[in-house]
Tab-separated table of all heavy atoms in Angstrom:
chain	number	residue	atom	x	y	z
A	5	ALA	N	55.646	9.259	56.642
A	5	ALA	CA	54.259	8.888	56.861
A	5	ALA	C	53.609	10.104	57.484
A	5	ALA	O	54.194	10.776	58.331
A	5	ALA	CB	54.163	7.697	57.800
A	6	VAL	N	52.385	10.414	57.026
A	6	VAL	CA	51.655	11.545	57.577
A	6	VAL	C	50.388	11.001	58.220
A	6	VAL	O	49.632	10.273	57.575
A	6	VAL	CB	51.306	12.583	56.491
A	6	VAL	CG1	50.526	13.740	57.089
A	6	VAL	CG2	52.560	13.079	55.798
A	7	SER	N	50.170	11.348	59.461
A	7	SER	CA	48.980	10.924	60.197
A	7	SER	C	48.121	12.157	60.473
A	7	SER	O	48.341	12.865	61.463
A	7	SER	CB	49.354	10.248	61.514
A	7	SER	OG	50.103	9.092	61.273
A	8	PRO	N	47.156	12.431	59.593
A	8	PRO	CA	46.310	13.601	59.819
A	8	PRO	C	45.374	13.370	61.014
A	8	PRO	O	45.189	12.224	61.447
A	8	PRO	CB	45.518	13.726	58.520
A	8	PRO	CG	45.564	12.397	57.889
A	8	PRO	CD	46.804	11.714	58.385
A	9	GLU	N	44.819	14.447	61.544
A	9	GLU	CA	43.878	14.322	62.667
A	9	GLU	C	42.678	13.471	62.278
A	9	GLU	O	42.186	12.692	63.067
A	9	GLU	CB	43.425	15.693	63.145
A	9	GLU	CG	44.506	16.436	63.902
A	9	GLU	CD	44.016	17.744	64.482
A	9	GLU	OE1	42.788	17.904	64.709
A	9	GLU	OE2	44.854	18.620	64.701
A	10	LYS	N	42.203	13.662	61.061
A	10	LYS	CA	41.073	12.879	60.556
A	10	LYS	C	41.525	12.109	59.324
A	10	LYS	O	42.235	12.644	58.483
A	10	LYS	CB	39.902	13.790	60.173
A	10	LYS	CG	39.332	14.555	61.342
A	10	LYS	CD	38.216	15.457	60.907
A	10	LYS	CE	37.699	16.272	62.074
A	10	LYS	NZ	36.675	17.222	61.663
A	11	GLY	N	41.132	10.892	59.211
A	11	GLY	CA	41.487	10.089	58.045
A	11	GLY	C	42.698	9.206	58.284
A	11	GLY	O	43.404	9.348	59.283
A	12	PRO	N	42.918	8.295	57.364
A	12	PRO	CA	44.021	7.328	57.513
A	12	PRO	C	45.389	7.941	57.218
A	12	PRO	O	45.511	8.955	56.546
A	12	PRO	CB	43.662	6.253	56.488
A	12	PRO	CG	42.872	6.956	55.446
A	12	PRO	CD	42.124	8.040	56.167
A	13	ARG	N	46.399	7.265	57.710
A	13	ARG	CA	47.777	7.632	57.444
A	13	ARG	C	48.054	7.451	55.960
A	13	ARG	O	47.522	6.557	55.312
A	13	ARG	CB	48.702	6.727	58.258
A	13	ARG	CG	50.171	6.956	58.010
A	13	ARG	CD	51.029	5.962	58.739
A	13	ARG	NE	50.910	6.193	60.172
A	13	ARG	CZ	51.123	5.266	61.090
A	13	ARG	NH1	51.463	4.049	60.750
A	13	ARG	NH2	51.018	5.564	62.375
A	14	TYR	N	48.918	8.281	55.422
A	14	TYR	CA	49.386	8.110	54.045
A	14	TYR	C	50.893	8.349	54.001
A	14	TYR	O	51.481	8.811	54.982
A	14	TYR	CB	48.619	8.996	53.060
A	14	TYR	CG	48.734	10.476	53.301
A	14	TYR	CD1	49.664	11.243	52.613
A	14	TYR	CD2	47.898	11.145	54.210
A	14	TYR	CE1	49.778	12.606	52.827
A	14	TYR	CE2	48.003	12.496	54.422
A	14	TYR	CZ	48.937	13.226	53.720
A	14	TYR	OH	49.045	14.573	53.926
A	15	TYR	N	51.519	8.023	52.883
A	15	TYR	CA	52.963	7.975	52.783
A	15	TYR	C	53.459	8.806	51.621
A	15	TYR	O	52.938	8.714	50.506
A	15	TYR	CB	53.425	6.516	52.615
A	15	TYR	CG	52.873	5.645	53.718
A	15	TYR	CD1	51.615	5.048	53.606
A	15	TYR	CD2	53.578	5.484	54.899
A	15	TYR	CE1	51.086	4.291	54.644
A	15	TYR	CE2	53.060	4.717	55.933
A	15	TYR	CZ	51.813	4.135	55.796
A	15	TYR	OH	51.290	3.400	56.820
A	16	LEU	N	54.459	9.637	51.862
A	16	LEU	CA	55.024	10.525	50.866
A	16	LEU	C	56.487	10.209	50.649
A	16	LEU	O	57.209	9.989	51.622
A	16	LEU	CB	54.902	11.976	51.345
A	16	LEU	CG	53.519	12.497	51.649
A	16	LEU	CD1	53.604	13.795	52.425
A	16	LEU	CD2	52.765	12.707	50.360
A	17	SER	N	56.895	10.213	49.395
A	17	SER	CA	58.316	10.056	49.100
A	17	SER	C	58.658	10.800	47.819
A	17	SER	O	57.800	10.951	46.934
A	17	SER	CB	58.743	8.593	49.016
A	17	SER	OG	58.090	7.929	47.963
A	18	PRO	N	59.883	11.310	47.718
A	18	PRO	CA	60.281	12.040	46.528
A	18	PRO	C	60.201	11.183	45.274
A	18	PRO	O	60.502	9.987	45.305
A	18	PRO	CB	61.737	12.419	46.791
A	18	PRO	CG	61.940	12.236	48.249
A	18	PRO	CD	60.965	11.206	48.689
A	19	GLY	N	59.790	11.827	44.205
A	19	GLY	CA	59.812	11.173	42.906
A	19	GLY	C	61.000	11.685	42.112
A	19	GLY	O	61.955	10.975	41.828
A	20	HIS	N	60.961	12.973	41.786
A	20	HIS	CA	62.009	13.580	40.945
A	20	HIS	C	62.125	15.062	41.324
A	20	HIS	O	61.107	15.733	41.508
A	20	HIS	CB	61.608	13.424	39.486
A	20	HIS	CG	62.571	14.029	38.503
A	20	HIS	ND1	63.845	13.577	38.359
A	20	HIS	CD2	62.419	15.040	37.604
A	20	HIS	CE1	64.453	14.281	37.411
A	20	HIS	NE2	63.605	15.185	36.953
A	21	ARG	N	63.335	15.538	41.481
A	21	ARG	CA	63.635	16.943	41.748
A	21	ARG	C	62.975	17.471	43.010
A	21	ARG	O	62.668	18.657	43.110
A	21	ARG	CB	63.298	17.812	40.532
A	21	ARG	CG	64.205	17.521	39.346
A	21	ARG	CD	63.875	18.314	38.110
A	21	ARG	NE	63.708	19.735	38.402
A	21	ARG	CZ	63.090	20.583	37.588
A	21	ARG	NH1	62.588	20.155	36.463
A	21	ARG	NH2	62.988	21.848	37.907
A	22	VAL	N	62.757	16.601	43.984
A	22	VAL	CA	62.260	16.976	45.303
A	22	VAL	C	63.121	16.225	46.310
A	22	VAL	O	63.387	15.043	46.138
A	22	VAL	CB	60.771	16.591	45.492
A	22	VAL	CG1	60.313	16.857	46.921
A	22	VAL	CG2	59.878	17.328	44.503
A	23	ARG	N	63.553	16.938	47.339
A	23	ARG	CA	64.357	16.299	48.391
A	23	ARG	C	63.451	15.821	49.519
A	23	ARG	O	62.398	16.402	49.761
A	23	ARG	CB	65.397	17.281	48.929
A	23	ARG	CG	66.382	17.752	47.860
A	23	ARG	CD	67.293	18.788	48.387
A	23	ARG	NE	66.498	19.972	48.790
A	23	ARG	CZ	67.021	21.113	49.203
A	23	ARG	NH1	68.328	21.259	49.267
A	23	ARG	NH2	66.257	22.127	49.552
A	24	VAL	N	63.878	14.786	50.210
A	24	VAL	CA	63.104	14.265	51.333
A	24	VAL	C	62.829	15.390	52.338
A	24	VAL	O	61.704	15.534	52.820
A	24	VAL	CB	63.835	13.086	52.019
A	24	VAL	CG1	63.130	12.696	53.299
A	24	VAL	CG2	63.937	11.897	51.099
A	25	LYS	N	63.836	16.192	52.634
A	25	LYS	CA	63.660	17.224	53.665
A	25	LYS	C	62.655	18.296	53.236
A	25	LYS	O	62.126	19.002	54.086
A	25	LYS	CB	65.000	17.853	54.032
A	25	LYS	CG	65.642	18.695	52.963
A	25	LYS	CD	66.971	19.234	53.474
A	25	LYS	CE	67.552	20.226	52.503
A	25	LYS	NZ	68.784	20.833	53.061
A	26	ASP	N	62.378	18.421	51.959
A	26	ASP	CA	61.397	19.422	51.477
A	26	ASP	C	59.953	18.940	51.626
A	26	ASP	O	59.032	19.752	51.607
A	26	ASP	CB	61.661	19.777	50.021
A	26	ASP	CG	62.980	20.473	49.842
A	26	ASP	OD1	63.430	21.159	50.776
A	26	ASP	OD2	63.583	20.325	48.758
A	27	ILE	N	59.749	17.643	51.755
A	27	ILE	CA	58.395	17.106	51.797
A	27	ILE	C	57.597	17.651	52.976
A	27	ILE	O	56.454	18.053	52.810
A	27	ILE	CB	58.418	15.568	51.797
A	27	ILE	CG1	58.846	15.078	50.408
A	27	ILE	CG2	57.056	14.994	52.174
A	27	ILE	CD1	58.965	13.579	50.292
A	28	ALA	N	58.213	17.721	54.149
A	28	ALA	CA	57.487	18.237	55.330
A	28	ALA	C	57.046	19.677	55.101
A	28	ALA	O	55.929	20.055	55.453
A	28	ALA	CB	58.352	18.114	56.576
A	29	LYS	N	57.896	20.492	54.494
A	29	LYS	CA	57.539	21.886	54.212
A	29	LYS	C	56.388	21.967	53.220
A	29	LYS	O	55.476	22.781	53.377
A	29	LYS	CB	58.752	22.632	53.637
A	29	LYS	CG	59.901	22.770	54.596
A	29	LYS	CD	61.073	23.413	53.877
A	29	LYS	CE	62.345	23.196	54.662
A	29	LYS	NZ	63.526	23.564	53.889
A	30	ILE	N	56.419	21.122	52.210
A	30	ILE	CA	55.366	21.123	51.199
A	30	ILE	C	54.034	20.709	51.828
A	30	ILE	O	52.997	21.321	51.560
A	30	ILE	CB	55.759	20.213	50.011
A	30	ILE	CG1	56.924	20.860	49.257
A	30	ILE	CG2	54.561	19.987	49.084
A	30	ILE	CD1	57.602	19.951	48.252
A	31	VAL	N	54.051	19.694	52.670
A	31	VAL	CA	52.819	19.227	53.327
A	31	VAL	C	52.258	20.320	54.225
A	31	VAL	O	51.046	20.539	54.274
A	31	VAL	CB	53.051	17.931	54.116
A	31	VAL	CG1	51.856	17.593	55.002
A	31	VAL	CG2	53.337	16.789	53.164
């Protein structure tokens, strides 16, 4: 879950060929 300073929280999860641990780096 990502909670930006402005705006609502949103949720990220891998679909294909992306690892969970890479999501934070991509964001």
Side-chain angles (χ1 to χ4, degrees):
V6 180
S7 298
E9 287 185 24
K10 297 178 183 176
R13 177 185 293 156
Y14 62 96
Y15 305 88
L16 302 166
S17 63
H20 179 64
R21 293 178 49 198
V22 174
R23 299 175 298 186
V24 171
K25 69 180 187 175
D26 295 331
I27 289 177
K29 295 175 196 169
I30 291 168
V31 169

